[in-house]
Amino acid sequence: MSKLRSQNLMEGITGAYARAMYRTMGYTDEDLKKPQIAIVNSFSESNPAHYHLRDLARYVREGIYAAGGMPVEFNTIAPCDAVAQGKGMHYILPSRDIIAASIELMVQAQQYDGLVMLCSCDKIVPGMLMAAARLDLPTVFLTGGVMLSREIEGEDFVTCDIKEAMGRVKAGEITEEEFYQIESTTCASVGTCSMMGTAMTMSTFVEALGLSLPGSSTMLAVDSLRFHKAKETGKIAVELVKKNMTAREMINKKTIKNMIRYLMAVGGSTNAILHLQALAVEIGYELPLKIFDEYSKTTPLLAKFKPASKYNMTDFDKAGGVYAVLKALSDQIFSDYPIITGNTLREELNKITFNPGEVIKSPDQPLALEGGLAVLTGNLAEKGAIVKQSGVDPAMLVHTGPAVTADSEEEVKELLLSGQVKPGDVLVIRYEGPAGGPGMRELSLPAAILVGMGLGNSVAMITDARYSGATRGPCIGHISPEAAVGGNIAFVKNGDLIEINIPERKLELKVAENELKKRRENWEKVPLKVPENSFLQTYARFVSDSSEGAIFKYREKSDQN
């Protein structure tokens, strides 16, 4: 083990100040000579996926002490996407970059030797991954695990079913009493929502990268074995410091491409594209959208989960989980690299046998020949747009219809709930991109209401905003350039025909170029929807395009190449 960087603050006469501070909290002279392992905890009482992380941290602490380390715990923010739906959603995507920056500032200020990342949800996991890559220290992750599903009248319900129930009760398909039962009982425990949303996509990424223990991401949050995983995680963090094995052993160009392959195979969240691009930036790797589509066309779809199928994350776990999918993809991924267990990924995969079944298919007999996500281009998305094609009804893979425009999430909700949307329409929601929102809100509620109202096989929805990983239906997001910077989505008028052709990767506004030019000349930008003194005003000035990961770039966009 090389000299501990924490000792730069602890040694000699100048270290007296730091030693004095730590002694007040119970650390001994012996402790202060050990590897200092930061437990970066996103515990929060505002988020069920993080509510139990305070308890898990105790077991991580025990593991660190047992392996000869000194645990030091600190927290970072953990907003909940579900709670923040609507107005609060402006602040969610920006939190990812703030989480990464807050961890960097704390770890570099205190000069910790290694890190344990405790996290669960949509922007917290990617924020911590970004920090891990940026800092490149010995790092282990422990994700919070999966929420219990709830059986209601013989059917397993998970969080996304609540959203679709909003549309079902509005359409008269279920009663108010049935809706209340779904609302009040579906979330049966703490943990991450048991669907292939962004939270579980990113949590399983961590395991697939080799940064967390095998099987840990899809295990139930309330399983007592998670305490054992927590202790083992703490021990491994100390061992990684002793071996000087850092995060970029597992986060590099080849392994990020593995994650694209895995993402396509399981029909993961569209948001994962933003997060992989942001992660790539941390290691100096450019990851354009075309690479995602190249991998989509060469990766079979092996699994689909709620809401795109009846299966939830517990079904995934029982079927073999992350490592079963990696084993199935073993001919298409890079696996000769070390992971936190001390073995290479290939060695870990050699321990298991993949048995294809109903939940995880074989590459020879997949659910579809192409991966779950697709990148569309055309005059409505010159830099690209994203759709979760594995969640689209086959009847809507090719569709042309008249535009119905809305300049905010609130406007489109009103259009849906007031019955102004008709079969065949194409809903256009704009000024909700990274800069225009600002914050690139997630339109999962309108999307779920659309499906719940029975319009998911007749109405398309396109936007410069995002969708949840738990969205299904013909919902196309991440349209770039966004409306706020003069993308053509800003110039769509009610009644304009829009052509969607997912197999051919096309998204076209059927309006002549000379007419678009006239509209562009008369364009008046819609003002931002947040107060003038909000951090989001600054965010809007510095955030990159969604086709580049919506990254807070710390310099004016006009200065970018």
Side-chain angles (χ1 to χ4, degrees):
M1 180 172 62
S2 58
K3 180 183 176 181
L4 297 171
R5 67 185 218 135
S6 60
Q7 293 308 302
N8 293 328
L9 300 181
M10 295 290 144
E11 290 180 331
I13 191 169
T14 57
Y17 215 6
R19 296 193 299 269
M21 296 298 107
Y22 275 113
R23 285 194 186 102
T24 66
M25 296 177 283
Y27 295 105
T28 65
D29 288 351
E30 184 181 357
D31 290 331
L32 296 175
K33 296 173 184 176
K34 297 174 181 177
Q36 291 186 10
I37 309 297
I39 302 172
V40 187
N41 196 345
S42 53
F43 158 76
S44 170
E45 290 187 347
S46 64
N47 189 332
H50 296 252
Y51 187 75
H52 60 306
L53 297 185
R54 179 164 55 184
D55 293 331
L56 283 179
R58 290 174 28 229
Y59 293 89
V60 173
R61 180 183 296 274
E62 288 180 15
I64 293 170
Y65 269 127
M70 170 181 154
V72 185
E73 185 178 351
F74 70 87
N75 279 76
T76 188
I77 60 172
C80 177
D81 284 49
V83 174
Q85 291 294 321
K87 291 291 185 183
M89 189 54 68
H90 289 293
Y91 298 86
I92 292 294
L93 183 57
S95 74
R96 177 195 68 184
D97 298 70
I98 297 301
I99 289 164
S102 71
I103 295 169
E104 175 199 359
L105 295 174
M106 186 70 177
V107 170
Q108 295 293 60
Q110 305 277 135
Q111 290 289 289
Y112 298 120
D113 301 302
L115 310 172
V116 173
M117 303 286 199
L118 289 182
C119 51
S120 286
C121 279
D122 299 43
K123 308 306 171 291
I124 298 88
V125 180
M128 288 193 177
L129 276 170
M130 290 165 65
R134 186 180 302 175
L135 293 163
D136 195 26
L137 293 170
T139 304
V140 193
F141 278 70
L142 179 64
T143 51
V146 177
M147 181 185 288
L148 283 167
S149 60
R150 175 77 70 183
E151 186 176 317
I152 302 175
E153 296 184 358
E155 180 184 348
D156 275 343
F157 275 69
V158 302
T159 316
C160 58
D161 295 312
I162 301 172
K163 294 188 292 185
E164 292 191 7
M166 297 176 193
R168 292 171 65 194
V169 72
K170 183 66 180 178
E173 184 182 330
I174 58 175
T175 66
E176 293 282 353
E177 290 76 17
E178 289 171 322
F179 178 66
Y180 179 73
Q181 182 186 16
I182 293 168
E183 172 195 336
S184 58
T185 66
T186 290
C187 295
S189 72
V190 297
T192 304
C193 302
S194 187
M195 58 197 185
M196 193 54 86
T198 308
M200 280 311 304
T201 300
M202 299 308 302
S203 292
T204 57
F205 272 8
V206 170
E207 183 181 334
L209 284 166
L211 283 161
S212 65
L213 287 166
S216 59
S217 66
T218 54
M219 179 189 291
L220 285 172
V222 293
D223 191 328
S224 62
L225 289 177
R226 186 160 292 281
F227 298 138
H228 298 257
K229 296 279 189 187
K231 282 188 180 181
E232 184 65 18
T233 296
K235 292 177 182 178
I236 288 173
V238 179
E239 293 304 314
L240 293 184
V241 172
K242 292 177 180 178
K243 292 188 290 187
N244 196 32
M245 181 178 171
T246 64
R248 291 197 190 181
E249 298 268 8
M250 289 154 281
I251 304 172
N252 52 60
K253 293 180 182 181
K254 290 181 178 179
T255 62
I256 287 175
K257 287 182 177 180
N258 281 356
M259 293 308 97
I260 301 175
R261 187 79 68 192
Y262 169 84
L263 171 67
M264 297 302 169
V266 299
S269 170
T270 52
N271 287 316
I273 292 179
L274 297 174
H275 302 324
L276 285 175
Q277 288 179 308
L279 183 60
V281 166
E282 299 296 341
I283 62 169
Y285 175 36
E286 185 178 351
L287 196 59
L289 288 181
K290 66 180 181 180
I291 293 180
F292 290 90
D293 206 49
E294 288 169 5
Y295 274 62
S296 176
K297 291 176 179 177
T298 59
T299 306
L301 180 68
L302 303 182
K304 293 201 297 187
F305 299 99
K306 286 265 190 175
S309 81
K310 65 181 180 180
Y311 299 116
N312 60 40
M313 289 297 99
T314 299
D315 298 315
F316 188 28
D317 187 67
K318 291 176 181 177
V322 173
Y323 274 57
V325 173
L326 295 179
K327 182 78 169 186
L329 295 172
S330 56
D331 290 340
Q332 291 186 285
I333 63 172
F334 170 68
S335 58
D336 291 320
Y337 69 95
I339 64 174
I340 62 162
T341 61
N343 294 325
T344 65
L345 179 62
R346 181 181 298 277
E347 288 169 334
E348 291 292 343
L349 293 178
N350 286 340
K351 295 178 182 179
I352 68 169
T353 300
F354 170 57
N355 297 307
E358 284 301 309
V359 178
I360 306 174
K361 299 294 186 180
S362 122
D364 297 330
Q365 294 182 306
L367 293 170
L369 295 176
E370 292 189 355
L373 310 185
V375 179
L376 312 185
T377 56
N379 69 348
L380 254 183
E382 292 170 319
K383 292 185 179 180
I386 309 297
V387 63
K388 189 170 184 175
Q389 63 178 346
S390 60
V392 179
D393 189 296
M396 290 298 290
L397 291 172
V398 177
H399 177 76
T400 299
V404 178
T405 62
D407 288 346
S408 69
E409 177 181 0
E410 287 74 20
E411 285 187 23
V412 75
K413 283 180 184 174
E414 178 59 29
L415 288 171
L416 284 165
L417 295 175
S418 62
Q420 297 181 59
V421 180
K422 308 300 181 187
D425 287 344
V426 178
L427 281 166
V428 180
I429 308 98
R430 57 205 176 185
Y431 296 102
E432 290 287 8
M440 201 179 181
R441 284 200 284 183
E442 177 184 281
L443 304 187
S444 66
L445 282 183
I449 291 169
L450 180 81
V451 171
M453 291 177 70
L455 296 172
N457 59 0
S458 62
V459 173
M461 185 182 289
I462 69 172
T463 182
D464 52 10
R466 306 178 288 117
Y467 292 106
S468 165
T471 294
R472 64 184 173 115
C475 298
I476 299 167
H478 304 221
I479 285 179
S480 175
E482 63 176 292
V485 300
N488 283 339
I489 189 174
F491 313 127
V492 180
K493 291 186 176 181
N494 288 331
D496 287 346
L497 287 180
I498 293 174
E499 178 190 359
I500 299 166
N501 191 321
I502 294 172
E504 294 185 7
R505 307 299 202 254
K506 287 171 56 177
L507 183 60
E508 292 281 343
L509 176 63
K510 311 303 281 185
V511 172
E513 182 55 41
N514 61 345
E515 172 61 21
L516 280 177
K517 183 179 179 181
K518 290 178 186 176
R519 295 181 187 182
R520 189 175 289 111
E521 290 170 352
N522 295 319
W523 175 53
E524 292 184 9
K525 184 176 174 181
V526 172
L528 295 181
K529 308 175 184 72
V530 294
E532 289 187 6
N533 63 347
S534 170
F535 165 75
L536 293 186
Q537 293 279 348
T538 302
Y539 180 82
R541 288 172 51 202
F542 289 92
V543 68
S544 75
D545 195 86
S546 63
S547 65
E548 301 170 354
I551 303 155
F552 192 64
K553 286 200 167 182
Y554 307 102
R555 68 175 190 263
E556 293 282 5
K557 286 182 286 187
S558 60
D559 293 337
Q560 297 169 16
N561 294 326

